[in-house]
Amino acid sequence: ATESDRWFERNRSALADPAHAAHILEFLGQNGISPKSVLDLGGSNGSKSAALRPLSPHGEWVVLEPSRAAISDGLPHAAQRRR
């Protein structure tokens, strides 16, 4: 396993908590920011991008992640997140 896979396994439970994106949602909402495109570098399983997507449902979202474990974890939800 790579270090990125090990990081994902150590942090998997925290990523499942919707509150992990709350501070970003709060900041963007308070400042009226609705991005047209988002590049999430090191986006893990995509859960944070999924939590933020309602701010820009028609925007372009790209999540890049080196961990195969994180990608595998996020793939079952990817189609749902695109909607």
Side-chain angles (χ1 to χ4, degrees):
T2 65
E3 175 52 31
S4 56
D5 290 331
R6 289 188 293 271
W7 182 94
F8 175 70
E9 293 304 328
R10 287 191 306 269
N11 292 282
R12 181 190 295 255
S13 61
L15 295 169
D17 182 355
H20 79 280
H23 64 284
I24 298 171
L25 280 169
E26 182 180 344
F27 173 82
L28 295 175
Q30 287 176 348
N31 292 287
I33 298 171
S34 179
K36 293 180 182 170
S37 61
V38 173
L39 174 58
D40 186 356
L41 297 173
S44 192
N45 62 1
S47 60
K48 190 173 289 186
S49 285
L52 299 173
R53 187 155 180 115
L55 292 175
S56 183
H58 302 292
E60 181 180 1
W61 290 77
V62 176
V63 179
L64 299 177
E65 173 56 47
S67 167
R68 288 184 180 195
I71 293 168
S72 294
D73 186 69
L75 281 177
H77 309 287
Q80 179 184 10
R81 291 176 181 159
R82 286 190 197 136
R83 295 180 188 158

